[in-house]
Amino acid sequence: MKKNYVVLGGLAALAGITTICSCGQPGTEEEEKNLKIGISVYDQYDTFVTEMVSSFQNYAKEKEKDWGISIELEVKNANNNQISQNDQMDDFIQDGADIVCINLVDRTDASGIIEKAKSNDIPVIFFNRELVKEDLERWDKLYYVGADAFQSGKMQGDILVEECKKNFSVIDKNKDGILQYVMLEGEPGHNDSMVRSMAVINEITERGYLVEKLSDEIANWNRDQAANKMKQFLEAYGDKIEVVMANNDDMALGAIDTLKDFGMDITDENWPVILGVDGTAVGLHAVEKGEMLGTVLNDFKGQACGMLELAYSIKMEKPLSEEFELEDGKYIRLPYKSVTKKNLGEIQMELME
C-alpha cells in the first residue's frame, strides 16, 4: 500500500496508511534526537480512537519543542483484522520504529505482535483495548495505557441513579417501580464491553433500584449497527423501553438516530433515558441537546499524553513524567469523569485546554 507522508502539525487523517513525520533538529547524536513511533489502530472509524490519535499527534508536535527532538509517527489502520495488524508490526520493524503503540483488534490474540516485538527488541505500548494480563507479563518491555472499565460502568450507573432520585416517576413510564432497559454492547470478548455491562447494572441495583432487561445486543461499538439493533428493540418493545444503556457514545448515538427515524424527539413522552461512555465530541453535543442523559469521559487526551511520555521515557531511558504513574511497571490508567448537563461546560473547557 502507498504511504503518504505529512509534516507533523499539518492535517493527518486516519485513512488507509498515514505517516506523520517532522524535520529533525540539529544534534550531535542523531539517533538520540529522534523518536520514531509506529501506531496501529483497530478501526479508523472508531470516534474515540480517532480523537485519541489526533491528540497524540498534537501532543507530539508540542513535545518536539520541549524535548528538542524530532518525533516521527507512522499511523496504520488494521481495519478490524488481526492478521493485518500483525503484518503492520512487521512494517514497523522494517521501518526502524523505536516504539510501537498497538490498539489491538483482538485483545485475546496479542501473541503474534509480542513475539515479533521480543525478537526485534522493540517495546510495545498497548492502548485502549486491554490485552490479557498474562500476555502483558510475557516480557518486561510491554505496557498498557488506558482506564479502568469497571469505573466507567459504575459511573454510568451513578448518573442514572442520581436522575432517578429526582425524576423516577418520569423515567418509570409504566409506573411499575421497575426500570425496563435495553443494552447495546461493544463486542464479544472485549474487556471494556463485558465489564461496563456488568458494572452499570450492579451499581443501579446496589443503590436500591429494580431493573428488567428487555434485550441486549452486540453492536461492535458502531453507530450504524447500534441503529439497526435499536430498530429491532423498538419493533419488539416499543414504549416499554425506559432506559437505553450503551457501552460507548457511538452506539448511544445510533440509538438516538433510530428514535428520530421513528419520528420521536426529546419532547416525546416515550423518549427513553440514554446513557453512553467515552465523552466524544459528538457524545457531549448529544448531552448538551438533552438527547443523552449523560456519558462518562474516557480521558483520551490524558491517555495520549501518557502514551507519548512513556514512549519518550523508554527511548531516552529517563524517568517517566511525574504527571503519570506506572503501576506495577506496566500500566498507566487515567480516571474517568461523569458528564451530565450540570458539569458539561466545565468538561468542555478542560478538553479545550
Side-chain angles (χ1 to χ4, degrees):
M1 297 180 69
K2 184 179 178 181
K3 297 179 183 177
N4 302 306
Y5 292 88
V6 184
V7 176
L8 210 165
L11 295 177
L14 281 172
I17 298 176
T18 307
T19 305
I20 303 93
C21 305
S22 62
C23 300
Q25 299 187 14
T28 56
E29 298 182 28
E30 185 63 29
E31 185 176 349
E32 291 186 3
K33 290 291 184 179
N34 181 67
L35 175 57
K36 190 169 187 177
I37 303 172
I39 303 173
S40 173
V41 299
Y42 91 101
D43 180 6
Q44 68 178 9
Y45 298 107
D46 185 301
T47 304
F48 174 80
V49 172
T50 299
E51 290 184 353
M52 184 174 176
V53 172
S54 178
S55 292
F56 191 97
Q57 292 165 343
N58 293 336
Y59 194 60
K61 180 182 177 182
E62 294 176 12
K63 299 309 287 187
E64 277 191 311
K65 299 175 182 177
D66 294 345
W67 293 335
I69 66 171
S70 167
I71 301 176
E72 241 181 288
L73 306 181
E74 185 174 4
V75 183
K76 294 177 181 283
N77 173 32
N79 281 314
N80 258 315
N81 187 310
Q82 189 59 59
I83 295 175
S84 295
Q85 192 167 62
N86 292 348
D87 291 341
Q88 289 171 358
M89 183 68 188
D90 290 327
D91 294 339
F92 292 142
I93 293 167
Q94 185 176 359
D95 292 344
D98 298 304
I99 310 285
V100 174
C101 299
I102 300 289
N103 176 223
L104 278 169
V105 172
D106 184 349
R107 66 177 290 269
T108 66
D109 189 15
S111 297
I113 288 171
I114 291 171
E115 290 306 315
K116 295 173 190 289
K118 288 178 66 176
S119 298
N120 293 274
D121 195 30
I122 298 178
V124 177
I125 302 171
F126 295 96
F127 67 99
N128 177 247
R129 296 161 71 89
E130 186 169 353
L131 69 166
V132 178
K133 181 180 179 182
E134 288 75 14
D135 282 338
L136 197 66
E137 293 175 346
R138 287 172 57 182
W139 189 36
D140 62 357
K141 295 183 181 180
L142 304 176
Y143 307 88
Y144 177 74
V145 175
D148 181 355
F150 180 84
Q151 184 187 43
S152 64
K154 188 175 186 300
M155 286 183 169
Q156 191 182 54
D158 181 69
I159 291 171
L160 179 58
V161 167
E162 292 304 313
E163 185 66 18
C164 284
K165 288 179 180 179
K166 296 179 290 185
N167 296 305
F168 186 77
S169 62
V170 176
I171 299 170
D172 181 27
K173 296 179 176 62
N174 62 3
K175 311 307 178 188
D176 65 350
I178 302 171
L179 297 171
Q180 277 79 28
Y181 75 92
V182 293
M183 178 86 74
L184 291 164
E185 300 186 40
E187 65 186 85
H190 191 289
N191 180 70
D192 286 9
S193 181
M194 294 186 294
V195 174
R196 285 173 185 172
S197 299
M198 173 195 68
V200 62
I201 299 303
N202 285 350
E203 179 67 13
I204 296 166
T205 56
E206 286 175 4
R207 300 278 292 277
Y209 290 91
L210 299 176
V211 299
E212 178 188 354
K213 180 175 71 176
L214 298 176
S215 187
D216 62 345
E217 290 287 349
I218 298 293
N220 293 301
W221 311 111
N222 184 273
R223 184 168 180 165
D224 290 339
Q225 289 187 38
N228 288 331
K229 299 299 183 183
M230 189 64 190
K231 182 175 183 291
Q232 296 172 22
F233 292 156
L234 287 172
E235 289 172 345
Y237 304 105
D239 58 11
K240 293 180 181 178
I241 301 171
E242 296 171 343
V243 181
V244 178
M245 302 177 195
N247 286 167
N248 77 339
D249 287 348
D250 275 0
M251 293 189 294
L253 291 165
I256 291 169
D257 292 339
T258 297
L259 288 167
K260 290 179 178 178
D261 288 343
F262 272 61
M264 300 171 64
D265 61 31
I266 59 172
T267 64
D268 193 304
E269 63 178 9
N270 291 322
W271 186 276
V273 169
I274 302 173
L275 298 157
V277 176
D278 276 343
T280 59
V282 284
L284 296 179
H285 186 53
V287 173
E288 185 175 20
K289 292 191 293 183
E291 295 171 343
M292 284 171 57
L293 171 63
T295 183
V296 183
L297 178 68
N298 194 356
D299 187 2
F300 60 89
K301 290 185 70 175
Q303 290 174 36
C305 293
M307 195 158 59
L308 185 60
E309 290 282 358
L310 180 57
Y312 176 77
S313 171
I314 295 167
K315 164 68 174 179
M316 303 302 174
E317 299 182 345
K318 294 184 177 181
L320 180 64
S321 167
E322 293 181 359
E323 184 180 352
F324 300 96
E325 179 184 355
L326 192 61
E327 301 174 15
D328 301 324
K330 290 284 186 181
Y331 297 90
I332 292 178
R333 297 191 189 275
L334 280 294
Y336 287 93
K337 293 181 180 179
S338 298
V339 186
T340 63
K341 271 193 172 182
K342 184 177 179 179
N343 67 336
L344 178 62
E346 173 188 334
I347 294 295
Q348 290 174 324
M349 289 296 294
E350 288 180 9
L351 293 175
M352 291 174 60
E353 292 177 356

